[in-house]
């Protein structure tokens, strides 16, 4: 199932080293004047490059194929593609018959009996560029309704990030890990402001269930929580009450342990959640593994790789959140 | 959306103090000899009562209405209902116009403009009995294929549970909280054994995304992680490698940081995940809140309530896991 | 897949001679004051009995289990059941091992390897009572928005029905067929008034595709067309133009060859379509068939059966149309 | 909703005069060696050109973007695009503000408040090329399982087609209509051979409901029936019995009034159905209409247009049937 969403839907395609990656957005509201520069800027945030990221050059030049007329959305499907230009598939030849540990090579083979071994194929994080395009479009619609989604790094390796000096410590941790031929995990936080009360569906369609599904579909994500999250497990009920009060003619809560969602439905406060990521699976070390003929071997993967997924995961989390919130608004009939 | 699943689907209905709760299971494999006692036993595990749980008497007597003929499943929808017998709705009269903090009263009102204020209505945890029936049926199908789902308490309040003596400490913590008119949160763990490699779909249909959505749809759940989970955020890549080796003619991993899922697809190892729950929201204390006419007030909720959701959440987590795994097996065409 | 619809959804369950039939309606708008008498009146229209219909006594007493509070809809699932009281399953014993020609006995066995042979089981037309309840609820919502759905007999056997005297001829045709131990087919027409322009989705979600799927899901339906329908195949383009003009400030068409739908989307004119039904498959004649052990045999089916499906199909067509139109309105965001 | 299907799914995009049309096929079985020439040949059958068809030059050159590796399917989404090269949008300038009668111009405007007026935009029959690509892929999978789908003209204008000489009469009828600046409708038939018994779902997912939805989603389709179809309405039950007998160890029917489907499920006989099409809506005549400012006017549409949709609809019906049958096989778990 390569389609995400119910009324606002992204169908996503492409292998890392195939002709192109891309997607089709169905359910885009009509008549929206698109800001294509904003889409490019969003994409640029997840682009590889820079000291902390993979040196693979990706232009990530988006070509829109349909659904836009004279700069405005038609309400019909918006298809787009990003050509895979800098593929260097020769780097990956040694992976034809060997499964990289911690990757999807073996499970894809088990599922399909065939895989595109070049750069992870369909399982490559390159696919997240497609999500960012979808999220950028969703964010524009949300912005028109006064809703703002923002993701940010909360933790890189063991470094918790509360300030700019923490960012410097985090950057140092990344460089240290790189020097040690190792990789790091981390945590991304996200806040959504401006969602009206009443968005989300009871029982199975709870807003946190939609968000959890969206976030756990991102490569390398290992955990999701919202509001107090896992910390709530160790709290007392009396410590986690969000008392109601009235201000400006509407109901508010004095605290936000609930993370803006109660009973699966938004309560008008900020929606807050976190996504945990594991360390990047690819590192320049010899690792024990097996071939597709079930023979033991060792593998050292070369190529260009990130040390920590967090910096590039931030826009992906933000994009997935934007699409999820927009879809939930449309399902609830609350998109103004 | 009160339907869960794609090929194995549970449609769930009912308010806490309406006539009945129940569900319709569509996609049940045909020809399965049902063990109705096992379903009752599963339900009994989440039933209120006992020192640690709400004294509400619920017989939870399931009546099957369709889809079963001479003890075997027909492949047609299995509808079932549980009458609401011990409703005591007089306990709830004072809630007609006042929103309980931390509950769904306000958000339901915001969404629907109307709510059944008796006992939480649709948002009541009573609804989880329906999930347990669905899970019990799914577990029987899985059992026939050698797949076993088991959930267990991992943490109650601040007490981590590794042994029977920890359970005693946890029980004491619950009684202490009760004495202090307070409530506790906790964590439930779950392990699924016997899932073959190749189950789960790439990109948006990753097995962990399906599980996360299922778990985060449970009342009071605040977080989900799998494998190393949130702990992975602080680990180095070299610490979290699951090296591949071959034994008995198939691929295994030497460790299971991945929690049995790689690239969204099962790898044949045990699938492991955790669900964090917040403290029970109802406690016998006066709390600040507002009425539906936006006036400030205080509310002390009486009635019969649990102190910690974990004991009764264990079978609910297990049930949701069973339905999710069965659905994923059917989607992957791997149900034998 | 026993669920119909996207945002307004009916999940339907039950075998003809099981405990009960019923359904769960999800997506019902909240706050609707229900007219339960109107639902009963709708059901009565499809009830067996009377000179022209099967003498099976069915009270079709609907019991609502959830989703309604103090007479109004909550927006949560509305579950309902109709107990199967007059089952006489002894009539059906001889069908345990023999496939009735023209029925679903053989195909259910081929699909599921098991079937409830009593009265057609899941394939019985008794299931359509559930659709009528769903349609009655949908019709109330539509009525509140000024939309009226009406189905009517167009043809019974060879008799086309344009007037009351045609109805008498049709009634005579039914009695003649009954005397000849035979059965008749026919055609039901339907008109939907008051649907605003802009309802229906392009390409695969065309309004006529939704209606066709709904109608062809009714037992014994063999064909569907809308507007000029099959007759359009033999017309010239110049004969089938619906010229546009303006009246009362909105666009109208001078004729309605289009049946109220252009490009899959409503144009504000009356929506018109037809559904063709085959003769009732059960007739008191010895028919050549086989057993489930693949032996040749003859079978004469007793029991109580209709001669022509049209009289009882009229409310079923109307019900399916009401649910389809409501769902399409909700998808299009045009439900006021 | 621009996605068709449940397990085998085509998401379709593109406007007639946008950059490109195309689609994404999700759920394609993996490991299939693709015959790209067969896809081109299928497309060529619906291509404009020739004496009887629109002179618009469309190369319909398909470019595959993903999901294929070394000539075989990966099981991941297969995206493809067809560039719109011969667009001549200058022909369509006069349509910017005027609604063509019998077209979707007005209804798209009513739905979206915006439309691509060039060549029908999203509502153009050009979109059916995408369906043909999807159908060509599905047909290859079906062919590997011994299932063959074949569509053919049954009626063009008033000419019923039983033989080659009928085809000549039909061709003459088309030329006559063209000379009279008029257009014709017609009927396409389709037969599917080799579908095993047991495919199709009870109640709402009946195989005929799936086929009806698929066919009625094709541009200009006005009606669908299967087996005896509308003719069954005028038949007696005793005339329409499909007696069962056994041959070669499996159940057969002596006739096929049922069109290969009983109770919504295939019975192993040939599946037969018909699709009625209205006359082409565009003809070189002045027609009464209105502008988007609600002023009366006359419009004569130039450009290149077909006289009768039947010749080009044949491969489209075949393609939709192939995708529907493959999806139904996959849902039923009967794809071998």
């Amino acid at each position: 199932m390569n389609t995400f969403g119910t009324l606002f839907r992204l169908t996503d395609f492409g292998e890392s080293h195939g002709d192109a990656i891309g997607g089709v957005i169905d359910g885009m509201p009509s008549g929206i004047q698109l800001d294509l520069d904003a889409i490019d800027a969003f994409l640029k945030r997840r682009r590889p490059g820079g000291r902390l990221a993979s040196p693979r050059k990706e232009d990530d030049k988006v070509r829109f194929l349909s659904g836009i007329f004279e700069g405005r959305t038609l309400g019909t499907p918006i298809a787009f593609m990003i050509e895979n230009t800098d593929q260097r598939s020769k780097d990956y030849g040694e992976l034809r018959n060997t499964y990289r540990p911690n990757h999807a090579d073996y499970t894809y083979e088990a599922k399909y009996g065939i895989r595109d071994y070049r750069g992870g194929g369909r399982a490559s994080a390159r696919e997240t560029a497609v999500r960012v395009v979808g999220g950028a479009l969703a964010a524009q619609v949300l912005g028109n309704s006064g809703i703002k989604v923002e993701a940010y790094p909360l933790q890189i390796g063991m470094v918790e990030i509360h300030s700019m000096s923490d960012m410097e410590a985090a950057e140092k941790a990344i460089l240290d890990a790189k020097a040690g031929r190792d990789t790091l995990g981390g945590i991304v936080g996200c806040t959504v402001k401006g969602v009206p009360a009443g968005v989300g569906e009871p029982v199975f369609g709870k807003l946190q269930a939609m968000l959890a599904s969206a976030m756990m579909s991102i490569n390398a994500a290992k955990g999701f929580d919202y509001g107090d999250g896992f910390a709530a497990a160790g709290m007392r009920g009396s410590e986690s009450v969000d008392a109601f009060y009235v201000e400006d003619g509407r109901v508010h809560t004095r605290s936000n342990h609930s993370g803006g969602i109660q009973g699966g439905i938004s309560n008008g406060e900020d929606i807050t959640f976190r996504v945990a990521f594991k360390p990047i699976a690819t590192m320049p070390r010899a690792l024990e593994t097996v071939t597709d003929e079930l023979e033991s071997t060792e593998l050292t993967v070369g190529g260009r790789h990130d040390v920590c997924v967090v910096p590039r995961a931030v826009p992906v989390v933000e994009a997935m959140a934007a699409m999820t919130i927009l879809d939930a608004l449309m399902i609830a009939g609350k998109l103004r």
Side-chain angles (χ1 to χ4, degrees), chain A residues 254-273:
Chain A
R254 294 217 181 270
S255 48
N256 192 12
H257 299 286
S258 300
I261 306 174
Q262 295 180 315
I265 301 170
S266 63
N267 66 1
E269 302 298 309
D270 289 355
I271 295 169
T272 62
F273 63 87

Side-chain angles (χ1 to χ4, degrees), chain A residues 105-129:
Chain A
D105 299 347
Y106 167 62
T107 54
Y108 268 65
E109 189 83 33
K111 183 173 186 65
Y112 295 116
I114 181 176
R115 69 192 162 94
D116 181 349
Y117 56 82
R118 301 167 303 167
R122 181 75 184 132
S124 165
R126 174 147 176 71
E127 168 268 321
T128 57

Side-chain angles (χ1 to χ4, degrees), chain A residues 85-335:
Chain A
T85 49
D86 177 34
Q87 301 170 359
R88 283 211 217 169
S89 50
K90 62 182 179 298
D91 282 14
Y92 294 96
E94 67 180 319
L95 302 176
R96 176 187 277 271
N97 300 110
T98 307
Y99 303 132
R100 291 170 300 164
N102 283 12
H103 286 80
D105 299 347
Y106 167 62
T107 54
Y108 268 65
E109 189 83 33
K111 183 173 186 65
Y112 295 116
I114 181 176
R115 69 192 162 94
D116 181 349
Y117 56 82
R118 301 167 303 167
R122 181 75 184 132
S124 165
R126 174 147 176 71
E127 168 268 321
T128 57
V130 173
R131 303 174 185 231
V132 168
V133 176
L137 289 168
Q140 292 195 17
V141 180
L142 292 175
N144 293 350
S145 293
I147 297 169
K148 179 146 185 54
V149 182
E150 190 179 9
Y152 34 81
L154 279 180
Q155 186 180 319
I156 285 179
M158 298 298 288
V159 181
E160 292 184 24
I161 297 167
H162 306 289
S163 66
M164 277 312 296
S165 62
D166 294 336
M167 277 303 290
E168 282 163 32
E171 191 167 320
K172 183 170 179 314
I174 289 177
L175 295 174
D176 283 356
K178 192 173 189 176
R181 292 182 303 151
D182 216 327
T183 60
L184 297 177
I187 299 179
V188 173
C190 187
T191 302
V192 188
K193 291 177 183 296
V195 177
V199 176
E201 304 296 310
V203 186
F204 301 118
K206 290 189 170 83
L207 193 50
Q208 67 268 39
M210 292 177 70
L211 286 166
S213 175
M215 298 307 146
M216 294 307 294
S217 78
I218 301 173
N219 290 26
K222 295 296 285 189
F224 167 90
D225 64 6
Y226 77 104
D228 284 342
F230 270 87
M235 292 167 74
R236 296 214 152 213
S238 55
E239 297 171 297
S240 62
V241 174
D242 287 331
F244 285 125
Y245 71 104
V246 170
E247 195 172 275
D248 300 333
R250 77 167 186 81
V251 175
H252 290 272
T253 59
R254 294 217 181 270
S255 48
N256 192 12
H257 299 286
S258 300
I261 306 174
Q262 295 180 315
I265 301 170
S266 63
N267 66 1
E269 302 298 309
D270 289 355
I271 295 169
T272 62
F273 63 87
R274 303 186 306 159
V275 189
F277 290 91
K278 68 173 184 180
I280 297 270
T282 306
M283 65 202 89
R285 289 170 176 239
L287 299 174
E288 176 190 9
T289 188
V290 298
T291 70
D292 55 15
E293 303 214 316
L294 301 189
E295 286 168 2
S296 295
T297 185
E298 274 204 347
L299 181 69
T300 306
V301 179
R304 305 146 298 176
H305 298 286
D306 292 319
V307 170
C308 177
V309 77
V310 165
R312 296 180 62 193
V314 165
V316 180
V317 165
E318 197 171 302
M320 293 305 293
M323 289 193 285
T324 304
I325 295 292
L326 177 56
D327 195 29
L329 275 163
M330 291 171 71
I331 293 170
K334 299 262 183 188
L335 183 66

